[in-house]
Amino acid sequence: MTLTLRHDQPAAPDQQANPGPPPVRFGRLLAELRGMPPLLRLLIGTQLAFNIGFYAVLPYLSSHLADHIGLAGWLVGLVLGLRTFSQQGLFVVGGALTDRLGPRPVVLAGCALRVAGFAGLAVADGIWSVLASVLLIGFAAALFSPAVESEVARQAVEHETAGHAPRTRVLAIFSVAGQIGAFTGPALGALLLLVDFRVTCLGGAVVFVAILAGHARLMPHRTTAGPAAAGRTGGGTWPGVRGLCRNRSFLLLALAYSGYLVSYNQLYLALPEEIIRTSGSATALAWMFTLSSLLVITAQLPVTGWVTRNLCLRTSLVAGLATIAAGFAVVAAARPFELPGPAGLLPATGLVVLLTTGQMLVVPAARALLPDLAGAGHLGLYTGALSTISGTLVLVGSALTGLLLDSAGDQLGGTLPWLTLTAIPLTAAFAACRLRP
């Protein structure tokens, strides 16, 4: 399969002249969902439900471990870190299994493990039972997330090839569904938490039981064959890994995407520190996360529609990373002035808006490129490897960023950490510029 750096690739001749979808309307979006194949609708609904179940539990886990189980702070950090590693670090395993077995058994196994993990967490009362449950929760996502993401990308290409919406629009709808789940999940968890954290865990488990039942009933044993699905077993895993390691375009994409993820992770690391520094408390942080979620929910599809009409995938990547760099530059430029009162939060707000805008440009473009870069039979492997590589670099980048914020926070008027953070997405944008067919 060849790399074509356009959103509107294989399409009917009259589609080439189509200026793209108009700005989104809710009724139009529902009609568009109804017009999609049943499998695509299932996958988009799955992303929504996955995030509702996940975010109903995980935001409250650290306080439960500290306050109710009595774990020390370093143990809480270890538990949360192991969950992340068991998920991100093993994505490549889930992706390779998806290529070999197809998405259905991998998704079902992941859902079953997630149910077991949440149920185990509900009754865990010591460090070892907590660790076992958390590792199950993380490895479950390492199975079903690459399976769902690679299959939705495959189906989006087939949908586009059949003359329907560009793949980036389908992937943008997928992102919006996930963001809605991430936005509503904590609210569900907070309601269940009024009873008990164990009830919250069981509520999350019930969500995944429903997902498991839905996929067992509705997901086909074999997805429709087509250009994007050809050769799912093509060549075996190890030849695929060797090809991946020699695939310069994929490695450049992984480097660019890693720069995005390291930058996005600053919402949880550098942004809270800046908000506490300027306002004296973390109260405004919740509003910043709400702002980010609402931006994605309301603006992702219009942004993707405009990008589809005007930019190629590579340009969308570069523009998104440059926008993220501008967000960090705003904070760096404002640091020496020490704006008083509520105005002190304006640079942080600018960072959130620009970083989220960059996310809306980068994520659909990166996912849309993967089917072309992976070739026949290895889309799951490439999807998993992208998450594993970027997750590993986020772990390293976050540790270095924390060290920089601690040791160099006052240098150059407090701008040195923010100038360094500005350089990360700019370097990633340079890597994206070098993507070639």
Side-chain angles (χ1 to χ4, degrees):
M1 199 175 284
T2 58
L3 171 63
T4 307
L5 292 171
R6 290 294 304 174
H7 292 273
D8 52 351
Q9 52 186 69
D14 59 340
Q15 189 186 357
Q16 300 291 338
N18 189 342
V24 174
R25 297 291 182 269
F26 187 66
R28 169 183 163 79
L29 177 58
L30 291 178
E32 191 170 354
L33 285 170
R34 285 194 296 267
M36 288 182 181
L39 180 55
L40 260 181
R41 293 200 303 269
L42 174 66
L43 294 169
I44 291 170
T46 296
Q47 181 71 354
L48 171 66
F50 275 173
N51 279 3
I52 289 175
F54 179 81
Y55 286 101
V57 176
L58 265 293
Y60 310 105
L61 176 58
S62 60
S63 61
H64 171 72
L65 296 179
D67 299 338
H68 295 94
I69 297 184
L71 298 186
W74 70 271
L75 272 177
V76 174
L78 176 64
V79 168
L80 297 179
L82 285 173
R83 186 208 65 79
T84 301
F85 179 77
S86 66
Q87 177 173 322
Q88 294 292 124
L90 297 176
F91 258 51
V92 66
V93 176
L97 287 173
T98 300
D99 288 335
R100 180 168 293 276
L101 304 175
R104 177 186 165 90
V106 181
V107 169
L108 295 180
C111 288
L113 288 178
R114 178 59 64 87
V115 171
F118 278 164
L121 195 59
V123 298
D125 57 1
I127 181 60
W128 295 112
S129 55
V130 166
L131 276 176
S133 301
V134 165
L135 288 173
L136 278 177
I137 290 170
F139 184 56
L143 290 178
F144 59 61
S145 288
V148 170
E149 290 175 12
S150 60
E151 192 59 32
V152 81
R154 195 191 318 274
Q155 295 297 322
V157 172
E158 293 187 3
H159 194 59
E160 176 186 69
T161 304
H164 300 296
R167 70 179 74 175
T168 46
R169 182 166 178 84
V170 175
L171 294 169
I173 293 172
F174 183 77
S175 294
V176 169
Q179 197 64 49
I180 293 172
F183 185 70
T184 56
L188 172 64
L191 288 175
L192 296 174
L193 204 61
L194 293 174
V195 182
D196 184 59
F197 180 76
R198 291 173 175 80
V199 175
T200 304
C201 290
L202 294 176
V206 167
V207 171
F208 281 91
V209 168
I211 297 170
L212 176 62
H215 278 266
R217 179 175 177 82
L218 299 175
M219 195 171 198
H221 289 269
R222 295 181 180 275
T223 54
T224 305
R232 183 174 268 114
T233 59
T237 300
W238 287 115
V241 171
R242 289 195 294 270
L244 181 149
C245 293
R246 295 193 297 265
N247 190 328
R248 181 175 178 273
S249 291
F250 171 77
L251 296 177
L252 287 170
L253 177 64
L255 180 59
Y257 197 75
S258 298
Y260 150 70
L261 272 186
V262 170
S263 300
Y264 186 79
N265 199 56
Q266 302 314 310
L267 287 176
Y268 308 99
L269 186 60
L271 178 66
E273 181 169 308
E274 175 65 10
I275 287 176
I276 292 171
R277 186 191 69 83
T278 55
S279 67
S281 75
T283 303
L285 189 60
W287 293 105
M288 295 295 180
F289 284 119
T290 300
L291 172 62
S292 178
S293 294
L294 289 177
L295 279 173
V296 175
I297 291 169
T298 59
Q300 177 71 77
L301 296 179
V303 166
T304 300
W306 182 88
V307 168
T308 300
R309 296 190 297 272
N310 295 281
L311 302 178
C312 70
L313 294 173
R314 182 177 60 194
T315 304
S316 181
L317 273 176
V318 173
L321 291 164
T323 303
I324 292 170
F328 291 116
V330 165
V331 180
R335 277 300 296 266
F337 296 100
E338 299 291 345
L339 299 174
L345 290 172
L346 288 177
T349 305
L351 169 62
V352 170
V353 170
L354 290 170
L355 200 157
T356 305
T357 302
Q359 172 194 359
M360 291 188 282
L361 293 169
V362 169
V363 173
R367 286 176 174 166
L369 279 167
L370 274 177
D372 296 327
L373 295 174
H378 297 298
L379 180 54
L381 173 66
Y382 275 63
T383 301
L386 182 66
S387 292
T388 295
I389 292 169
S390 56
T392 303
L393 290 179
V394 165
L395 185 63
V396 175
S398 295
L400 294 177
T401 300
L403 181 63
L404 184 65
L405 289 168
D406 287 340
S407 62
D410 295 326
Q411 295 187 28
L412 298 177
T415 62
L416 181 59
W418 296 97
L419 291 173
T420 304
L421 290 171
T422 302
I424 291 173
L426 286 179
T427 303
F430 178 75
C433 283
R434 298 176 66 83
L435 269 171
R436 292 290 183 270

